[in-house]
Amino acid sequence: MTDSGPLAGRGRKSPQSRPLTVGALERTDRALGLPDHALLVSLDLGRNNAANDLDELRLLAQSAALTVVNAVLGKRAKPDSATFVGSGKLQEIADRVQADQVGLVIFNHDISPAQERNLENALGCRVIDRTSLILDIFAQRARSHEGQLQVELAQLQRLATRLVRGWTHLERQKGGIGLRGPGETQLETDRRLLAKRVKSLKERLEKVRRNHRTQRQARSRAGLLRVSLVGYTNAGKSTLFNRLTGAQSYAADQLFATLDTTTRKFYLNPQESVVLSDTVGFIRHLPHALVAAFRATLEETLDADLLLHVVDGADPLRNQHIEAVNDVLAEIGAEHIPQLLIYNKQDLLPQVTAGVERDAYGTICAIRVSAQTNNGLGFISQAFVEWCQRRQESVDTPELSTET
Protein backbone atom coordinates (compact mmCIF):
# COMPACT_ATOMS: atom_id res chain seq x y z
CA MET A 1 0.00 0.00 0.00
CA THR A 2 1.24 3.45 -0.81
CA ASP A 3 1.55 5.67 2.23
CA SER A 4 -1.92 6.83 3.14
CA GLY A 5 -0.68 8.74 6.18
CA PRO A 6 -1.45 12.44 6.48
CA LEU A 7 2.09 13.41 5.54
CA ALA A 8 2.30 11.28 2.41
CA GLY A 9 4.16 12.80 -0.47
CA ARG A 10 7.13 14.11 1.51
CA GLY A 11 9.55 11.90 -0.36
CA ARG A 12 10.00 9.12 2.21
CA LYS A 13 9.39 5.47 1.56
CA SER A 14 6.25 3.99 3.04
CA PRO A 15 6.48 0.79 5.09
CA GLN A 16 3.55 -0.67 3.16
CA SER A 17 4.34 -2.09 -0.23
CA ARG A 18 0.97 -3.30 -1.54
CA PRO A 19 -0.77 -0.62 -3.62
CA LEU A 20 -4.34 0.28 -2.72
CA THR A 21 -6.40 1.54 -5.65
CA VAL A 22 -8.70 3.96 -3.91
CA GLY A 23 -9.67 7.19 -5.59
CA ALA A 24 -9.67 9.04 -2.27
CA LEU A 25 -5.93 8.60 -2.03
CA GLU A 26 -5.25 10.25 -5.40
CA ARG A 27 -4.90 13.71 -3.94
CA THR A 28 -2.23 16.27 -4.79
CA ASP A 29 -0.66 18.60 -2.25
CA ARG A 30 -2.07 22.11 -2.65
CA ALA A 31 0.28 23.64 -0.10
CA LEU A 32 2.34 26.55 -1.38
CA GLY A 33 4.75 26.44 1.57
CA LEU A 34 7.30 23.85 2.57
CA PRO A 35 5.50 20.53 3.17
CA ASP A 36 7.80 19.56 6.06
CA HIS A 37 7.41 22.91 7.85
CA ALA A 38 4.49 22.88 10.26
CA LEU A 39 2.42 25.37 12.20
CA LEU A 40 0.86 24.12 15.43
CA VAL A 41 -2.59 25.22 16.61
CA SER A 42 -3.77 24.63 20.17
CA LEU A 43 -6.87 25.97 21.89
CA ASP A 44 -7.47 26.01 25.61
CA LEU A 45 -10.95 24.53 25.94
CA GLY A 46 -10.96 24.68 29.71
CA ARG A 47 -8.43 21.91 30.37
CA ASN A 48 -5.70 22.52 32.91
CA ASN A 49 -2.95 20.89 30.85
CA ALA A 50 -3.27 22.85 27.58
CA ALA A 51 0.35 24.06 27.70
CA ASN A 52 1.66 20.55 28.40
CA ASP A 53 -0.40 19.16 25.52
CA LEU A 54 1.19 21.71 23.17
CA ASP A 55 4.69 20.68 24.27
CA GLU A 56 3.78 17.06 23.59
CA LEU A 57 2.38 17.95 20.16
CA ARG A 58 5.67 19.68 19.35
CA LEU A 59 7.56 16.50 20.27
CA LEU A 60 5.18 14.43 18.14
CA ALA A 61 5.78 16.70 15.15
CA GLN A 62 9.54 16.47 15.62
CA SER A 63 9.24 12.67 15.85
CA ALA A 64 7.52 12.78 12.45
CA ALA A 65 10.60 14.56 11.02
CA LEU A 66 8.76 17.87 10.75
CA THR A 67 10.17 21.32 11.41
CA VAL A 68 7.90 23.25 13.76
CA VAL A 69 8.03 26.88 12.66
CA ASN A 70 5.52 28.47 14.99
CA ALA A 71 2.44 27.92 17.11
CA VAL A 72 -0.90 29.71 17.36
CA LEU A 73 -2.63 29.62 20.73
CA GLY A 74 -6.15 30.55 21.69
CA LYS A 75 -8.97 30.01 24.13
CA ARG A 76 -12.60 29.12 23.50
CA ALA A 77 -15.48 27.88 25.58
CA LYS A 78 -16.28 25.29 22.90
CA PRO A 79 -15.10 24.48 19.34
CA ASP A 80 -16.66 26.24 16.36
CA SER A 81 -18.78 23.79 14.41
CA ALA A 82 -17.48 24.90 11.00
CA THR A 83 -13.78 25.60 11.52
CA PHE A 84 -13.14 24.62 15.17
CA VAL A 85 -11.37 27.95 15.83
CA GLY A 86 -13.81 30.66 14.75
CA SER A 87 -13.40 33.37 12.11
CA GLY A 88 -11.03 35.67 14.02
CA LYS A 89 -8.57 32.95 14.99
CA LEU A 90 -8.85 31.46 11.49
CA GLN A 91 -7.66 34.74 9.99
CA GLU A 92 -4.75 34.81 12.47
CA ILE A 93 -3.77 31.26 11.40
CA ALA A 94 -4.04 32.20 7.69
CA ASP A 95 -1.78 35.22 8.22
CA ARG A 96 0.77 33.06 10.02
CA VAL A 97 0.66 30.42 7.26
CA GLN A 98 1.45 33.07 4.68
CA ALA A 99 4.13 34.77 6.77
CA ASP A 100 5.96 31.55 7.69
CA GLN A 101 5.38 29.81 4.35
CA VAL A 102 4.36 26.53 6.00
CA GLY A 103 2.73 23.71 4.07
CA LEU A 104 1.11 21.94 7.00
CA VAL A 105 -1.09 23.01 9.91
CA ILE A 106 -1.43 20.59 12.83
CA PHE A 107 -4.30 20.91 15.29
CA ASN A 108 -3.76 19.67 18.82
CA HIS A 109 -7.31 18.35 18.81
CA ASP A 110 -9.50 15.90 16.94
CA ILE A 111 -11.28 17.77 14.15
CA SER A 112 -14.15 16.49 12.06
CA PRO A 113 -13.89 15.79 8.31
CA ALA A 114 -16.07 18.84 7.57
CA GLN A 115 -13.91 21.09 9.76
CA GLU A 116 -10.77 19.74 8.10
CA ARG A 117 -12.18 20.46 4.64
CA ASN A 118 -13.27 23.98 5.59
CA LEU A 119 -9.89 24.75 7.15
CA GLU A 120 -7.98 23.54 4.09
CA ASN A 121 -10.14 25.62 1.79
CA ALA A 122 -9.58 28.70 3.94
CA LEU A 123 -5.86 28.23 4.58
CA GLY A 124 -4.82 26.82 1.19
CA CYS A 125 -2.61 24.13 2.76
CA ARG A 126 -2.87 20.70 4.28
CA VAL A 127 -4.51 20.43 7.70
CA ILE A 128 -4.29 17.43 10.00
CA ASP A 129 -5.13 16.75 13.62
CA ARG A 130 -3.32 15.05 16.48
CA THR A 131 -4.67 11.59 15.65
CA SER A 132 -3.56 11.81 12.01
CA LEU A 133 -0.09 12.87 13.16
CA ILE A 134 0.21 9.88 15.49
CA LEU A 135 -0.94 7.57 12.70
CA ASP A 136 1.75 8.96 10.41
CA ILE A 137 4.44 8.37 13.04
CA PHE A 138 3.20 4.79 13.40
CA ALA A 139 3.36 4.36 9.62
CA GLN A 140 6.98 5.54 9.61
CA ARG A 141 8.07 3.31 12.52
CA ALA A 142 6.28 0.00 11.86
CA ARG A 143 8.87 -2.52 10.67
CA SER A 144 7.37 -5.95 11.22
CA HIS A 145 4.68 -7.40 8.97
CA GLU A 146 2.28 -7.44 11.90
CA GLY A 147 2.98 -3.80 12.76
CA GLN A 148 2.41 -2.70 9.18
CA LEU A 149 -0.91 -4.55 9.06
CA GLN A 150 -2.04 -2.88 12.27
CA VAL A 151 -1.04 0.59 11.10
CA GLU A 152 -2.74 0.15 7.73
CA LEU A 153 -5.93 -1.03 9.41
CA ALA A 154 -6.00 2.03 11.68
CA GLN A 155 -5.32 4.33 8.72
CA LEU A 156 -8.06 2.86 6.57
CA GLN A 157 -10.62 2.85 9.36
CA ARG A 158 -9.96 6.54 9.84
CA LEU A 159 -9.94 7.25 6.10
CA ALA A 160 -13.33 5.56 5.72
CA THR A 161 -14.94 8.40 7.71
CA ARG A 162 -13.15 11.09 5.68
CA LEU A 163 -13.86 10.20 2.07
CA VAL A 164 -16.24 13.11 1.54
CA ARG A 165 -13.68 15.93 1.51
CA GLY A 166 -14.54 17.99 -1.54
CA TRP A 167 -12.57 16.09 -4.19
CA THR A 168 -14.66 16.58 -7.31
CA HIS A 169 -13.74 13.26 -8.90
CA LEU A 170 -15.55 11.45 -6.09
CA GLU A 171 -18.91 12.78 -7.22
CA ARG A 172 -18.62 11.77 -10.88
CA GLN A 173 -20.75 8.93 -12.14
CA LYS A 174 -18.93 6.21 -14.04
CA GLY A 175 -19.79 6.47 -17.71
CA GLY A 176 -18.46 6.27 -21.23
CA ILE A 177 -17.67 3.32 -23.48
CA GLY A 178 -17.62 0.09 -21.52
CA LEU A 179 -18.45 1.83 -18.24
CA ARG A 180 -22.18 2.47 -18.58
CA GLY A 181 -24.39 0.50 -16.27
CA PRO A 182 -25.34 0.75 -12.63
CA GLY A 183 -23.91 4.24 -12.31
CA GLU A 184 -21.76 3.66 -9.21
CA THR A 185 -20.06 6.86 -8.11
CA GLN A 186 -16.34 6.96 -7.45
CA LEU A 187 -17.13 7.63 -3.79
CA GLU A 188 -19.16 4.41 -3.57
CA THR A 189 -16.35 2.53 -5.29
CA ASP A 190 -13.83 3.88 -2.81
CA ARG A 191 -16.03 2.89 0.12
CA ARG A 192 -16.45 -0.61 -1.27
CA LEU A 193 -12.71 -1.06 -1.84
CA LEU A 194 -11.92 0.25 1.61
CA ALA A 195 -14.43 -2.09 3.25
CA LYS A 196 -12.96 -5.03 1.34
CA ARG A 197 -9.40 -4.15 2.36
CA VAL A 198 -10.38 -3.60 6.01
CA LYS A 199 -12.05 -6.99 6.11
CA SER A 200 -8.93 -8.62 4.65
CA LEU A 201 -6.66 -6.90 7.18
CA LYS A 202 -8.85 -7.96 10.09
CA GLU A 203 -8.76 -11.57 8.93
CA ARG A 204 -4.96 -11.53 8.60
CA LEU A 205 -4.55 -9.92 12.02
CA GLU A 206 -6.81 -12.55 13.53
CA LYS A 207 -4.38 -15.19 12.24
CA VAL A 208 -1.54 -13.25 13.88
CA ARG A 209 -3.47 -13.21 17.16
CA ARG A 210 -4.00 -16.96 16.99
CA ASN A 211 -0.28 -17.52 16.40
CA HIS A 212 0.58 -15.27 19.35
CA ARG A 213 -1.94 -17.11 21.52
CA THR A 214 -0.30 -20.44 20.68
CA GLN A 215 3.15 -19.07 21.54
CA ARG A 216 1.94 -17.65 24.85
CA GLN A 217 0.28 -20.96 25.77
CA ALA A 218 3.58 -22.75 25.11
CA ARG A 219 5.41 -20.32 27.41
CA SER A 220 2.71 -20.72 30.04
CA ARG A 221 3.10 -24.51 30.00
CA ALA A 222 6.85 -24.06 30.53
CA GLY A 223 6.05 -22.35 33.84
CA LEU A 224 8.13 -19.25 33.09
CA LEU A 225 7.36 -15.92 34.69
CA ARG A 226 5.96 -13.66 31.96
CA VAL A 227 6.73 -9.96 32.33
CA SER A 228 5.70 -7.11 30.00
CA LEU A 229 7.18 -3.62 29.95
CA VAL A 230 4.53 -0.93 29.70
CA GLY A 231 4.72 2.81 30.11
CA TYR A 232 4.39 6.23 28.60
CA THR A 233 6.14 6.76 25.30
CA ASN A 234 9.81 7.77 25.61
CA ALA A 235 10.02 6.62 29.24
CA GLY A 236 13.02 4.43 28.37
CA LYS A 237 11.37 1.02 28.04
CA SER A 238 13.44 -0.18 25.07
CA THR A 239 16.71 0.99 26.63
CA LEU A 240 15.83 -0.87 29.84
CA PHE A 241 14.79 -3.93 27.82
CA ASN A 242 18.10 -3.96 25.96
CA ARG A 243 20.08 -3.60 29.21
CA LEU A 244 18.28 -6.48 30.88
CA THR A 245 18.22 -8.95 27.97
CA GLY A 246 21.20 -7.95 25.83
CA ALA A 247 18.85 -7.41 22.89
CA GLN A 248 19.39 -4.68 20.31
CA SER A 249 15.89 -3.31 19.95
CA TYR A 250 15.68 0.15 18.42
CA ALA A 251 15.85 2.79 21.17
CA ALA A 252 15.91 6.55 20.64
CA ASP A 253 15.02 9.73 22.47
CA GLN A 254 11.78 10.21 20.54
CA LEU A 255 8.10 9.43 20.88
CA PHE A 256 6.93 6.00 19.68
CA ALA A 257 10.39 4.68 18.86
CA THR A 258 9.06 1.15 19.47
CA LEU A 259 5.93 -0.22 17.78
CA ASP A 260 6.71 -3.92 17.39
CA THR A 261 6.66 -6.26 20.37
CA THR A 262 9.98 -7.97 21.11
CA THR A 263 10.25 -10.93 23.49
CA ARG A 264 13.47 -12.24 25.04
CA LYS A 265 14.53 -14.39 27.97
CA PHE A 266 16.08 -12.69 30.97
CA TYR A 267 18.20 -15.09 33.02
CA LEU A 268 18.07 -14.67 36.80
CA ASN A 269 20.62 -17.49 37.23
CA PRO A 270 21.73 -20.49 35.14
CA GLN A 271 18.56 -22.37 36.18
CA GLU A 272 15.89 -19.67 36.24
CA SER A 273 14.76 -17.26 33.55
CA VAL A 274 11.97 -14.77 32.90
CA VAL A 275 10.20 -14.07 29.60
CA LEU A 276 10.37 -10.30 29.06
CA SER A 277 8.38 -8.44 26.40
CA ASP A 278 8.84 -4.86 25.20
CA THR A 279 5.62 -3.25 23.94
CA VAL A 280 4.44 -0.04 22.28
CA GLY A 281 4.37 3.05 24.49
CA PHE A 282 1.19 4.85 25.45
CA ILE A 283 0.30 8.53 25.33
CA ARG A 284 -2.44 10.82 26.57
CA HIS A 285 -5.54 10.88 24.38
CA LEU A 286 -4.37 7.76 22.52
CA PRO A 287 -6.85 7.26 19.65
CA HIS A 288 -9.27 4.41 20.30
CA ALA A 289 -8.80 3.23 16.71
CA LEU A 290 -5.11 2.67 17.42
CA VAL A 291 -5.84 0.76 20.61
CA ALA A 292 -8.25 -1.47 18.69
CA ALA A 293 -5.92 -1.96 15.72
CA PHE A 294 -2.96 -2.82 17.97
CA ARG A 295 -4.91 -5.33 20.04
CA ALA A 296 -2.81 -8.18 18.59
CA THR A 297 0.28 -6.49 20.03
CA LEU A 298 -1.30 -5.40 23.29
CA GLU A 299 -2.58 -8.90 24.05
CA GLU A 300 1.00 -9.75 25.01
CA THR A 301 0.33 -7.50 28.00
CA LEU A 302 -2.94 -9.24 28.84
CA ASP A 303 -1.24 -12.61 29.40
CA ALA A 304 1.59 -11.25 31.54
CA ASP A 305 2.05 -12.32 35.16
CA LEU A 306 3.65 -8.99 36.02
CA LEU A 307 3.83 -5.55 34.40
CA LEU A 308 6.97 -3.46 34.67
CA HIS A 309 5.45 0.02 34.50
CA VAL A 310 8.38 2.16 33.35
CA VAL A 311 8.10 5.84 34.29
CA ASP A 312 10.33 8.78 33.36
CA GLY A 313 11.23 9.67 36.93
CA ALA A 314 12.71 13.00 35.85
CA ASP A 315 9.53 14.19 34.12
CA PRO A 316 7.47 16.61 36.23
CA LEU A 317 4.33 15.16 34.60
CA ARG A 318 5.15 11.59 35.63
CA ASN A 319 2.00 11.22 37.76
CA GLN A 320 -0.19 12.26 34.83
CA HIS A 321 1.69 9.82 32.60
CA ILE A 322 1.12 7.00 35.09
CA GLU A 323 -2.59 7.80 35.06
CA ALA A 324 -2.69 7.85 31.24
CA VAL A 325 -1.00 4.43 31.03
CA ASN A 326 -3.40 2.98 33.59
CA ASP A 327 -6.33 4.32 31.56
CA VAL A 328 -5.13 2.45 28.45
CA LEU A 329 -4.48 -0.71 30.48
CA ALA A 330 -8.04 -0.51 31.75
CA GLU A 331 -9.30 -0.05 28.19
CA ILE A 332 -7.65 -3.30 27.05
CA GLY A 333 -8.67 -5.20 30.20
CA ALA A 334 -5.22 -5.40 31.84
CA GLU A 335 -5.92 -3.30 34.95
CA HIS A 336 -6.00 -6.42 37.18
CA ILE A 337 -2.41 -7.49 36.42
CA PRO A 338 0.08 -6.68 39.23
CA GLN A 339 2.44 -3.79 38.51
CA LEU A 340 5.96 -2.97 39.57
CA LEU A 341 6.77 0.72 39.10
CA ILE A 342 10.21 1.40 37.60
CA TYR A 343 11.23 5.04 38.00
CA ASN A 344 13.79 5.38 35.20
CA LYS A 345 16.24 8.16 34.26
CA GLN A 346 17.47 8.69 37.80
CA ASP A 347 20.77 9.86 36.30
CA LEU A 348 18.96 13.12 35.52
CA LEU A 349 18.20 13.55 39.23
CA PRO A 350 21.56 13.70 41.03
CA GLN A 351 19.85 14.18 44.39
CA VAL A 352 18.01 10.84 44.07
CA THR A 353 19.79 7.49 44.42
CA ALA A 354 18.83 4.13 43.00
CA GLY A 355 16.92 1.89 45.37
CA VAL A 356 13.70 0.08 46.13
CA GLU A 357 10.44 0.89 47.88
CA ARG A 358 8.44 -1.79 49.69
CA ASP A 359 4.78 -1.86 50.67
CA ALA A 360 3.31 -2.74 54.06
CA TYR A 361 3.75 -6.46 53.30
CA GLY A 362 7.45 -6.13 52.50
CA THR A 363 6.92 -6.58 48.76
CA ILE A 364 8.95 -4.46 46.36
CA CYS A 365 6.47 -2.04 44.78
CA ALA A 366 8.78 0.54 43.14
CA ILE A 367 12.40 0.69 41.98
CA ARG A 368 14.52 3.71 41.09
CA VAL A 369 16.99 2.96 38.27
CA SER A 370 18.88 4.47 35.37
CA ALA A 371 18.83 2.30 32.28
CA GLN A 372 21.30 4.66 30.64
CA THR A 373 24.00 4.07 33.28
CA ASN A 374 22.92 0.57 34.46
CA ASN A 375 22.55 1.95 37.97
CA GLY A 376 20.02 0.02 40.05
CA LEU A 377 19.23 -2.70 37.50
CA GLY A 378 20.22 -5.36 40.03
CA PHE A 379 17.18 -4.39 42.08
CA ILE A 380 14.96 -5.50 39.19
CA SER A 381 16.59 -8.94 39.22
CA GLN A 382 16.03 -9.04 42.98
CA ALA A 383 12.34 -8.22 42.49
CA PHE A 384 12.01 -11.01 39.90
CA VAL A 385 13.63 -13.53 42.25
CA GLU A 386 11.30 -12.56 45.10
CA TRP A 387 8.30 -12.72 42.77
CA CYS A 388 9.26 -16.21 41.59
CA GLN A 389 9.72 -17.36 45.18
CA ARG A 390 6.29 -16.10 46.23
CA ARG A 391 4.70 -17.74 43.20
CA GLN A 392 6.40 -21.04 44.01
CA GLU A 393 5.32 -20.80 47.67
CA SER A 394 1.71 -20.26 46.59
CA VAL A 395 1.92 -23.42 44.46
CA ASP A 396 3.57 -25.51 47.20
CA THR A 397 1.19 -24.38 49.97
CA PRO A 398 -2.04 -26.45 49.86
CA GLU A 399 -5.26 -24.57 50.20
CA LEU A 400 -7.00 -25.00 53.54
CA SER A 401 -10.38 -26.67 53.25
CA THR A 402 -13.22 -25.79 55.58
CA GLU A 403 -16.10 -28.02 56.54
CA THR A 404 -19.58 -26.69 56.17
Side-chain angles (χ1 to χ4, degrees):
M1 173 186 172
T2 55
D3 190 356
S4 59
L7 310 182
R10 287 180 13 220
R12 57 175 172 76
K13 185 178 180 181
S14 167
Q16 288 89 7
S17 58
R18 179 176 286 103
L20 178 64
T21 308
V22 178
L25 302 182
E26 299 171 359
R27 180 180 174 220
T28 58
D29 192 353
R30 298 182 294 108
L32 298 178
L34 297 173
D36 60 347
H37 282 47
L39 173 70
L40 308 184
V41 177
S42 182
L43 297 186
D44 184 354
L45 300 175
R47 295 184 303 185
N48 296 327
N49 55 355
N52 296 328
D53 283 352
L54 178 61
D55 291 339
E56 192 167 78
L57 181 68
R58 191 183 304 273
L59 290 175
L60 284 169
Q62 292 170 354
S63 296
L66 292 169
T67 300
V68 177
V69 176
N70 215 324
V72 174
L73 308 179
K75 188 172 183 178
R76 287 184 65 91
K78 62 179 181 179
D80 180 78
S81 59
T83 62
F84 196 91
V85 294
S87 58
K89 186 61 64 174
L90 180 61
Q91 184 59 54
E92 180 183 346
I93 297 172
D95 293 341
R96 182 56 56 190
V97 167
Q98 292 295 323
D100 295 336
Q101 287 296 294
V102 298
L104 179 67
V105 175
I106 307 175
F107 274 71
N108 194 25
H109 315 271
D110 283 331
I111 56 179
S112 70
Q115 289 169 338
E116 186 175 329
R117 181 177 65 250
N118 293 338
L119 286 166
E120 290 185 340
N121 289 337
L123 300 176
C125 68
R126 183 170 298 179
V127 175
I128 65 172
D129 59 12
R130 175 188 172 93
T131 297
S132 295
L133 178 60
I134 293 176
L135 279 173
D136 189 81
I137 295 173
F138 274 44
Q140 293 184 50
R141 302 280 165 75
R143 293 293 179 265
S144 70
H145 176 64
E146 171 192 348
Q148 292 171 9
L149 289 178
Q150 292 174 129
V151 170
E152 185 180 353
L153 176 60
Q155 287 178 324
L156 293 186
Q157 287 177 328
R158 181 170 176 79
L159 181 62
T161 66
R162 294 172 178 259
L163 284 179
V164 184
R165 291 171 48 118
W167 292 309
T168 55
H169 78 278
L170 295 181
E171 302 303 327
R172 293 198 298 265
Q173 293 273 346
K174 283 186 176 180
I177 303 299
L179 295 177
R180 306 181 193 279
E184 182 180 43
T185 66
Q186 183 64 53
L187 177 59
E188 291 167 342
T189 302
D190 289 344
R191 284 175 173 161
R192 178 169 50 80
L193 291 173
L194 275 175
K196 183 178 180 180
R197 181 62 175 165
V198 166
K199 180 181 178 182
S200 173
L201 289 172
K202 287 183 176 179
E203 291 173 349
R204 294 166 68 181
L205 280 172
E206 181 57 34
K207 292 181 180 178
V208 171
R209 293 176 65 181
R210 286 198 297 267
N211 291 337
H212 285 183
R213 197 175 302 120
T214 301
Q215 294 170 359
R216 290 194 298 268
Q217 289 172 351
R219 291 197 294 265
S220 178
R221 287 193 297 268
L224 298 175
L225 178 66
R226 296 163 296 175
V227 180
S228 285
L229 275 72
V230 299
Y232 208 77
T233 181
N234 205 30
K237 295 184 303 300
S238 295
T239 300
L240 180 62
F241 178 81
N242 290 339
R243 297 292 192 188
L244 292 174
T245 65
Q248 296 182 345
S249 297
Y250 178 69
D253 185 16
Q254 56 186 203
L255 304 187
F256 297 116
T258 300
L259 288 185
D260 303 312
T261 297
T262 305
T263 300
R264 295 287 188 275
K265 277 188 178 181
F266 170 58
Y267 288 91
L268 303 174
N269 53 56
Q271 290 77 34
E272 286 186 294
S273 61
V274 172
V275 176
L276 198 61
S277 298
D278 185 20
T279 59
V280 61
F282 302 146
I283 197 170
R284 281 179 295 176
H285 318 306
L286 188 67
H288 293 283
L290 274 181
V291 175
F294 273 73
R295 186 160 293 276
T297 294
L298 297 176
E299 280 185 351
E300 192 74 35
T301 301
L302 284 173
D303 284 342
D305 300 309
L306 176 66
L307 300 180
L308 286 192
H309 186 161
V310 183
V311 182
D312 183 349
D315 195 321
L317 300 177
R318 55 185 175 273
N319 290 332
Q320 295 181 28
H321 293 174
I322 291 174
E323 183 180 351
V325 171
N326 287 332
D327 287 343
V328 178
L329 291 175
E331 186 174 349
I332 65 175
E335 70 276 13
H336 64 283
I337 302 175
Q339 291 188 23
L340 176 59
L341 283 174
I342 307 294
Y343 289 102
N344 190 25
K345 303 188 181 181
Q346 296 302 307
D347 54 297
L348 302 180
L349 300 171
Q351 71 278 15
V352 179
T353 59
V356 300
E357 298 177 12
R358 295 182 181 270
D359 59 21
Y361 301 96
T363 302
I364 296 178
C365 59
I367 304 176
R368 299 182 300 275
V369 305
S370 170
Q372 192 66 37
T373 63
N374 286 337
N375 192 18
L377 298 192
F379 293 123
I380 298 180
S381 299
Q382 179 183 341
F384 287 162
V385 170
E386 293 184 11
W387 185 272
C388 291
Q389 289 174 346
R390 286 196 304 273
R391 191 172 68 156
Q392 187 60 44
E393 289 172 359
S394 66
V395 173
D396 294 339
T397 304
E399 295 183 359
L400 298 178
S401 61
T402 57
E403 294 183 2
T404 57

